[in-house]
Amino acid sequence: MAPKKKPAAADGDVDVEEEINKCMSRFKSEYKRQCELLNITPITKLERASEARVLSWLALRNENLGPAGMTAIVEAVQGVEPKFGKIHELTIWKCDAGNAGAVALATLFRNRYCVNKVHFLENERGWEGCAALWVSCKANDHLKELVLNCNPLGDEGVAALTDGLRWNSCLEVLSLEYCGIGAYGASALAQDIIANDYCVLKDLDLKGNGLGPEGVAAIADGLKVNKTLITLSLADTQMGDNMVPREALREALLQHPVLEGIDLNLNNIGPEGGGMLLEVLSQNKNLKNVGVFERLGALYREIKDKADENGSKKKKKGKKKKKK
């Protein structure tokens, strides 16, 4: 039996599948043209792309992209009708895009492109790239997740980024692992985002940044007035066995209304820090995921058991509510 023909679109109606195919064709031809203008070799994955899902999640890893290659992609995307060629998720990982590539990428943060997730990892992006990004983030109503891990942002870059994000009421996930952030950058994050009622951040990851006792204390001070964070990673941030950040965290964790997870792994918080976490876990039952250094010995096991106990109690409460 011959396959059924797809019914023709009525006058005035739009054939969505046909429009999507047109967008894909337009993207490829414009990308090729931009590569010729910039005198660069096209990425094979994009040059031979045949399905629209390549655009829906545009993911490139270990490609010899460079700033010019990033510019070619952005120009090609701009030639596509967002209604039929949306990029929901963009991943550029270790493609040597640099600051110039980040500046070009910032164009896609405009609302008309409807990008929900951006992962821009290990691309040597510094504060110059962040300065371009914050302008676009300021009025963005679609971006939910931003991952900039392993880029040398430094304190200046994070300060530039937070200057835009403090006006953003959409972003829920921000990951800045190993970005060279110190105490000054931590203070900017604490004041402009964590303690900002306008922001709705739920997941913040600062693993591997040398915040030090002062920086961790600043984050904790912001956490005292925060009402949205559900998970916070301060792993490997050089908190140390210091009374100032320990007491600030104690106060913040005891009163936080929704926080469920705190990661302090790879920090030498000492017995006093372990005792503080046990006290918090016994009083704030929302906390059910706590990361700590195994070198705490017996305290490590006690903390894990107490966190698991909180988690199991929360599950039981959820089941009771369903029965009603």
Side-chain angles (χ1 to χ4, degrees):
M1 183 182 290
K4 291 182 179 179
K5 289 184 178 180
K6 188 175 68 173
D11 291 341
D13 289 345
V14 176
D15 188 324
V16 176
E17 187 177 338
E18 185 180 337
E19 289 300 321
I20 290 174
N21 290 333
K22 283 181 181 178
C23 279
M24 195 65 217
S25 178
R26 199 176 297 127
F27 171 83
K28 288 169 63 178
S29 61
E30 180 60 23
Y31 175 63
K32 184 179 179 181
R33 190 178 79 85
Q34 288 295 328
C35 287
E36 289 173 353
L37 286 172
L38 295 166
N39 195 29
I40 58 174
T41 304
I43 302 296
T44 305
K45 179 179 179 178
L46 299 180
E47 192 179 27
R48 297 180 181 177
S50 59
E51 297 181 15
R53 62 185 175 85
V54 173
L55 273 185
S56 180
W57 179 16
L58 187 54
L60 298 172
R61 182 177 181 182
N62 291 320
E63 297 281 2
N64 187 22
L65 196 61
M70 192 71 245
T71 300
I73 291 173
V74 171
E75 289 293 332
V77 171
Q78 286 184 280
V80 172
E81 171 55 54
K83 184 178 178 181
F84 301 107
K86 290 181 181 178
I87 296 180
H88 296 291
E89 188 170 346
L90 178 64
T91 300
I92 307 294
W93 190 350
K94 210 170 184 179
C95 292
D96 196 28
N99 279 312
V103 171
L105 178 67
T107 304
L108 300 185
F109 282 67
R110 294 173 185 167
N111 281 325
R112 75 182 300 262
Y113 299 110
C114 305
V115 180
N116 299 131
K117 297 180 181 180
V118 173
H119 290 206
F120 195 78
L121 305 94
E122 293 186 74
N123 280 293
E124 293 302 314
R125 179 192 203 140
W127 73 267
E128 297 98 330
C130 284
L133 181 61
W134 81 260
V135 178
S136 299
C137 284
K138 201 171 184 179
N140 188 292
D141 296 327
H142 295 278
L143 189 67
K144 297 284 187 184
E145 184 173 317
L146 180 60
V147 178
L148 298 174
N149 298 348
C150 303
N151 284 293
L153 308 184
D155 286 338
E156 286 185 326
V158 170
L161 183 65
T162 58
D163 202 27
L165 288 178
R166 64 177 171 164
W167 303 105
N168 185 294
S169 61
C170 184
L171 190 71
E172 296 180 351
V173 178
L174 178 62
S175 186
L176 301 171
E177 291 186 3
Y178 299 98
C179 287
I181 305 168
Y184 177 79
S187 295
L189 280 164
Q191 293 172 23
D192 291 343
I193 298 178
I194 300 173
N196 185 351
D197 287 340
Y198 192 71
C199 295
V200 294
L201 205 64
K202 295 180 179 179
D203 187 340
L204 177 61
D205 190 347
L206 297 174
K207 180 181 180 180
N209 290 288
L211 309 185
E214 184 184 346
V216 173
I219 296 294
D221 286 340
L223 198 61
K224 291 174 187 177
V225 295
N226 177 273
K227 297 176 182 177
T228 62
L229 272 177
I230 295 174
T231 59
L232 171 64
S233 177
L234 294 171
D236 194 17
T237 52
Q238 300 173 24
M239 170 185 170
D241 185 7
N242 188 294
M243 185 182 71
V244 175
R246 182 170 65 242
E247 287 305 305
L249 270 176
R250 176 183 172 277
E251 185 180 340
L253 296 176
L254 279 172
Q255 66 187 28
H256 202 284
V258 295
L259 193 73
E260 296 181 358
I262 177 82
D263 191 357
L264 297 177
N265 196 9
L266 302 176
N267 286 299
N268 185 23
I269 62 174
E272 292 84 358
M276 177 272 289
L277 288 174
L278 280 175
E279 178 192 352
V280 167
L281 283 164
S282 65
Q283 295 186 49
N284 187 343
K285 303 300 181 181
N286 286 326
L287 273 175
K288 57 182 182 180
N289 293 305
V290 178
V292 286
F293 218 167
E294 288 189 34
R295 290 180 186 175
L296 281 174
L299 267 175
Y300 167 82
R301 192 66 266 164
E302 286 183 60
I303 291 168
K304 286 295 183 182
D305 288 344
K306 191 62 183 174
D308 289 343
E309 183 184 320
N310 284 358
S312 61
K313 284 180 179 178
K314 200 161 186 179
K315 285 180 182 178
K316 287 177 182 179
K317 284 184 180 179
K319 286 181 181 179
K320 286 180 181 179
K321 285 181 182 179
K322 284 182 181 180
K323 286 180 180 180
K324 288 180 182 180

